[in-house]
Amino acid sequence: MLIKAEKLGKVYGSGENKVTALHRADMEIAEGDFISIMGPSGSGKSTLLHILSGLDFPTEGKLSYDGQDICKMNDRELSAFRRRRIGFVFQQFHLLPVLTARENILMPLLLDRKKEDRAYLGELAELLGISGRLTHLPHELSGGQQQRVAIARALIARPDIIFADEPTGNLDSKSGGEVMRLLAEIRRRMKKTLVVITHDSQIAQMADRRFVIMDGMLSEEGVTIR
Ligand code: ADP
Ligand code: MG
């Protein structure tokens, strides 16, 4: 899957409250890419990720997945598209507190009325080191374990691409490092595209292509601006 962003812009609010969060961002994401986007707080990282993943619309520019303009899809098409093709990992895990780890992981399949694949769930749990935690509720798990459950949930519908917004932001450096190593390893083994937002330069260095964003201006490291 080729993702092509052309001159994406995002303006929030109007008049005195106007904020240009993203300014004419160009980006091409090829299948299997491992990309990091680094920038300080408030630089537009989440805005860019939300737009790239179809969670929000740009106020300017164009975004296509394999030539298909996703801004032209209706809500139902777009949410089905996201459920099937895209996996999300958030800083705050976003697990449902009353569901077990296993139920949380299976939620995307439930929403899509798909049958669970026991073998695949077992494989993911094994890879992520949470096989013994599947019947636990989120509050019975450590932060690192909760994030690994969230990663399994992001992968359960076999998406092509994973978007992670500061996946280690709520973790100490040891479990954060572990979560990143697992994400990178799974991406390699399962041949996924991975886009990770971070403000940690060590994490950014793990990626093959590195972008930096400052005040809504995006640039790729090692690539001169035309
Ligand atoms: P980052 O993820 O890099 O911390 P964000 O993309 O969340 O940055 O925010 C970029 C800028 O846009 C910030 O100035 C922020 O205050 C502003 N912003 C983000 N979301 C909204 C919103 N829904 N309404 C108004 N301003 C917003
Ligand atoms: Mg953010």
Side-chain angles (χ1 to χ4, degrees):
M1 190 155 68
L2 177 72
I3 304 171
K4 205 166 169 186
E6 288 168 90
K7 304 201 170 21
L8 287 183
K10 180 75 175 180
V11 176
Y12 292 112
S14 61
E16 278 190 19
N17 300 319
K18 196 169 137 178
V19 176
T20 303
L22 192 65
H23 188 73
R24 297 168 76 86
D26 288 318
M27 195 174 192
E28 268 191 36
I29 305 174
E31 206 161 306
D33 270 357
F34 179 7
I35 289 178
S36 64
I37 304 169
M38 195 168 86
S41 182
S43 57
K45 302 184 296 298
S46 296
T47 299
L48 172 62
L49 197 86
H50 291 163
I51 293 174
L52 286 175
S53 59
L55 283 174
D56 197 2
F57 291 108
T59 43
E60 219 188 306
K62 221 178 121 183
L63 176 68
S64 63
Y65 274 66
D66 282 339
Q68 190 183 10
D69 187 340
I70 70 163
C71 303
K72 292 203 175 115
M73 288 184 191
N74 65 36
D75 277 357
R76 210 167 47 84
E77 288 170 335
L78 190 57
S79 50
F81 176 81
R82 278 199 310 262
R83 274 202 309 276
R84 288 167 198 164
R85 311 289 301 268
I86 300 177
F88 293 97
V89 180
F90 301 100
Q91 179 175 351
Q92 322 277 2
F93 321 138
H94 291 314
L95 300 176
L96 292 171
V98 296
L99 299 184
T100 63
R102 185 172 188 281
E103 291 164 341
N104 267 288
I105 295 171
L106 292 172
M107 188 49 84
L109 297 183
L110 209 68
L111 292 173
D112 225 16
R113 297 198 187 85
K114 277 203 211 127
K115 265 201 295 203
E116 73 165 273
D117 178 340
R118 272 171 181 263
Y120 183 54
L121 173 63
E123 185 190 343
L124 285 176
E126 188 72 39
L127 270 173
L128 289 159
I130 49 172
S131 302
R133 295 286 180 277
L134 293 177
T135 58
H136 291 236
L137 293 170
H139 80 266
E140 299 168 328
L141 304 172
S142 71
Q145 287 169 339
Q146 289 185 54
Q147 192 60 304
R148 285 182 273 147
V149 169
I151 293 171
R153 178 186 56 190
L155 287 158
I156 197 73
R158 302 176 188 272
D160 310 289
I161 177 161
I162 305 286
F163 286 106
D165 191 349
E166 307 213 36
T168 66
N170 266 6
L171 302 174
D172 59 71
S173 63
K174 183 165 170 281
S175 42
E178 216 168 279
V179 157
M180 264 318 295
R181 270 194 302 282
L182 283 166
L183 261 179
E185 168 69 10
I186 286 174
R187 170 240 158 212
R188 192 182 60 77
R189 282 169 72 146
M190 298 188 168
K191 302 187 167 44
K192 305 287 184 196
T193 307
L194 176 61
V195 180
V196 176
I197 278 183
T198 184
H199 55 242
D200 180 331
S201 63
Q202 239 172 316
I203 288 173
Q205 290 303 322
M206 294 170 71
D208 305 320
R209 293 176 63 201
R210 294 175 288 274
F211 286 78
V212 174
I213 185 166
M214 290 288 213
D215 293 328
M217 308 278 257
L218 182 74
S219 55
E220 183 166 5
E221 237 178 57
V223 176
T224 8
I225 301 164
R226 283 153 290 163

